[in-house]
Every structure is written in C-alpha cells, then in structure tokens.
Amino acid sequence: MRNALGLMLASVVSAVVIAGVWFWTSSPRADTAPQTVAARKAEPLPAPAAKLAPKDDVEITASLTKPAPAPVPAAQPARSACANPDALGVSRTVVIDTTGGPGFGFLQYKQFDFLTDKEIVLTFDDGPWPTTPAVLKALADECTKGLFFPVGKHTTYHPEILKQVAAAGHTIGSHTWSHAHLDSKKLTEAQMREEIEKGFSAVKMALGTAPAPFFRFPGLAHTQPALGYLASRNISMFSVDVDSNDFKSSGPDQVIQNVMSKLDKQGKGVILMHDLQKHTAIALPTLLRRLKAGGYKVVQMKAKEQLETLPEYDAMLVKEQKVPAVASRPISSVVQTVSQ
C-alpha cells in the first residue's frame, strides 16, 4: 500500500516537471524581439491652454479645446491711485460745450440744471496766492477736483503756484485782469473787454497753455454788454448756488457753517470759495470731510475746447510785463544739461 502511494506521488511530480519545461520553452522570452501590431492613426492632441500673465486674475473654466481668447488691448496709462480709501473723490466729470456762452449757478443763470441731488461743484476765486498750495493739499488728500478762477495780476505774481493748480488736474478759467467790477460806470466798453481778455492772456502766459473758456464776474457783477461779449467769444459764465462768504467770515468754523447750512437747504449746487482766504485754506480739510459725511458728491467741470486768446491782448500783456515774446537764442544755447 505504501509502495503504491509513493509511486502515485512520483508520477504527479514528473507530470508537473514536464509541464513546466514545456511552458518555459514555448513562452516568449524577455530578451526576444516583441511581436509587432499595426499602429492606429494618431489623433491630434488638444491645444494647450494659454498661460495667464502674472497680472491676470481670471479663473479658467473652459475646456482645453476652447479657442484661444482674443488679444488683450494695449495697456493704457495707469491713473494715479488715491491713497485715501475713504476719500471724497470725484463722482463724475462733465464736459461743457461753451458755444454761445452758457451760464451756470442758479443765483443768476437758470438755464442748465445739470446737477442731481447731492452733487456739488467746488470753485475757488482770486488766486493764485501763497494760501493756494494749502487748498491744493486739502483737495489732493481727498482725491477731489475743483474749478479755479484766478485774477490775471495774481498769476503774474505767482505763476509757479498756478502751474501747481494745473499740474494737480484742476480746471482753470479766469476772473478778469485786476478784479474790476465790470458793472462800474467808470469802465468803457473797451476797458471791459480788456479786463476780460487780459485776464485770460495772463493765465495763458503763466501756464504756457490756453485756459478753459470759463469766466466768473468779480462780485458777480455782470452787465448785458459784458454778457453779450462773453457769448460772442463762446465763454461760459459762472455764478453761484452756495456762497461761503469766506471773505467776511470770522474764522474757519464759520466758513464750514456757512457752506453746510446753505447746502443742506438747497441739496446741491456750485459752491463759491476763495483760495486767497486763509480761513478757507484752514477750513477746507474739515469741510471736505463734512461733505463726504453728508453724502455729497463732487462733479468736476471741464471744457470741450480751450479758449483761443486774442493776439493783441497777449501782446499787450507781454509788453506791459516786459517779457520777450520770442526767444532770441535757441534753447539749447541757453539751457544745457550737465548731469542727469
């Protein structure tokens, strides 16, 4: 019995050995060449997604096969950012077509009611003056803009200050040559025109560029001949809605009170101040914050076209100021850069 069982086990072992030898010799070896099959036609790969520029902050949700986006337009010059996140700012900018001499400010001119509720225009008369830079700083701190009506003579005293007004992006018109009240019976029509035109010519001489065709009468004293003349020159006239009366205020607090009390009654309007007045320069930072807190919004006014001053008044001013009209030497022979 024991011999029969041993014989059976030996037979099984022999069969397993024989099967293993057959499998080893008939299976493909690792060092033999692999069998080849017909290759499938390659399918085109989808185009890779366009890489975003570092500045792009866009989440890509489209599939890879979506067509590439249209080219990005050329970058525009960046606007200077406002450092004050809670600044009063400028809510909107309007461009004025001054054809025919439109008037603004409901105290005298009621044709164009373009301001909506809580909208204001900040205007300043009588500069430029040593107090003007403080006014400019207050406006810059609130990232807002105003409309300045300088006196011609003052621009000849402080042309560098008027340049600061222009450099800050404010609009600049004119307020006559000598702050003469044009309703005076002592002025002839020729003298009235000279006051108007020399004022604009003085601004142009100080800035080296034409002013806006915006004009305010000293003392708001207009006459029909003066109105007609300004209209013929396509110069827009400015009156007032809210008068700060800063020229006769006892101090900065009264300037603020005058403006806010009148504005809260009227709800909007052109505000008249004077950058020549020290009280205004001191009051302005607080006043601008009060305006912001009251929900008021500043509108900046610009002209569609600048004023073309009259050559005869330009020449008159140059002669009076004894400024050479034309350089007798080329600038390169006068000004040379020695280090940079």
Side-chain angles (χ1 to χ4, degrees):
M1 179 70 179
R2 192 174 290 178
N3 291 336
L5 182 59
L7 183 62
M8 184 180 297
L9 289 173
S11 299
V12 171
V13 170
S14 299
V16 169
V17 170
I18 293 171
V21 171
W22 175 85
F23 178 81
W24 175 257
T25 57
S26 62
S27 299
R29 299 289 299 274
D31 55 351
T32 61
Q35 292 183 347
T36 59
V37 294
R40 290 188 304 168
K41 186 176 181 180
E43 296 181 358
L45 294 175
K51 184 180 289 186
L52 290 177
K55 292 190 297 182
D56 290 334
D57 187 17
V58 181
E59 181 182 0
I60 297 179
T61 56
S63 67
L64 292 175
T65 55
K66 185 176 181 179
V72 178
Q76 299 297 319
R79 294 183 179 180
S80 57
C82 178
N84 181 358
D86 190 40
L88 177 60
V90 174
S91 67
R92 67 181 176 122
T93 300
V94 297
V95 175
I96 306 300
D97 182 345
T98 62
T99 302
F104 301 96
F106 264 49
L107 181 63
Q108 293 168 296
Y109 314 121
K110 307 185 190 313
Q111 304 101 314
F112 301 101
D113 186 12
F114 74 99
L115 295 175
T116 62
D117 187 43
K118 293 284 188 175
E119 285 190 332
I120 57 174
V121 179
L122 302 172
T123 70
F124 301 89
D125 290 5
D126 292 358
W129 208 248
T131 48
T132 303
V135 170
L136 294 177
K137 183 181 185 308
L139 295 172
D141 288 345
E142 289 294 332
C143 305
T144 194
K145 304 295 181 185
L147 171 53
F148 286 75
F149 294 98
V151 173
K153 279 188 176 181
H154 294 175
T155 69
T156 66
Y157 303 157
H158 305 289
E160 73 286 350
I161 296 179
L162 193 64
K163 287 185 174 71
Q164 292 176 30
V165 177
H170 303 289
T171 304
I172 302 175
S174 179
H175 197 42
T176 71
W177 163 248
S178 69
H179 204 268
H181 285 211
L182 300 188
D183 64 345
S184 172
K185 295 181 180 179
K186 296 180 180 179
L187 286 180
T188 65
E189 190 168 337
Q191 289 172 325
M192 174 269 292
R193 290 196 299 269
E194 183 176 321
E195 276 288 332
I196 293 172
E197 296 294 351
K198 278 179 61 180
F200 281 112
S201 292
V203 173
K204 178 183 177 181
M205 186 172 74
L207 296 178
T209 187
F214 293 167
F215 179 83
R216 179 177 272 150
F217 288 92
L220 305 178
H222 65 202
T223 65
Q224 286 305 315
L227 292 173
Y229 181 75
L230 291 169
S232 73
R233 292 277 285 125
N234 296 323
I235 295 173
S236 185
M237 298 157 286
F238 282 76
S239 184
V240 60
D241 294 300
V242 174
D243 191 346
S244 68
N245 287 317
D246 52 0
F247 64 97
K248 57 182 179 182
S249 294
S250 60
D253 290 342
Q254 188 176 352
V255 175
I256 297 169
Q257 178 62 27
N258 288 344
V259 172
M260 295 307 301
S261 61
K262 294 176 184 178
L263 191 55
D264 287 340
K265 288 180 181 179
Q266 296 182 205
K268 63 179 183 179
V270 176
I271 302 174
L272 168 60
M273 293 174 280
H274 298 81
D275 52 314
L276 171 121
Q277 295 294 328
K278 183 178 179 180
H279 291 332
T280 295
I282 296 172
L284 198 57
T286 301
L287 175 59
L288 295 177
R289 295 312 302 164
R290 288 280 301 275
L291 291 170
K292 169 72 175 179
Y296 292 100
K297 299 178 180 180
V298 174
V299 174
Q300 183 179 19
M301 299 181 72
K302 294 184 177 182
K304 182 179 179 181
E305 296 179 354
Q306 300 304 94
L307 179 70
E308 184 176 344
T309 58
L310 298 181
E312 59 265 37
Y313 293 99
D314 291 344
M316 183 186 300
L317 188 61
V318 166
K319 184 178 180 180
E320 290 178 1
Q321 298 299 310
K322 298 180 180 179
V323 177
V326 180
S328 58
R329 294 165 55 192
I331 190 170
S332 59
S333 72
V334 178
V335 182
Q336 294 182 346
T337 300
V338 295
S339 66
Q340 195 170 11

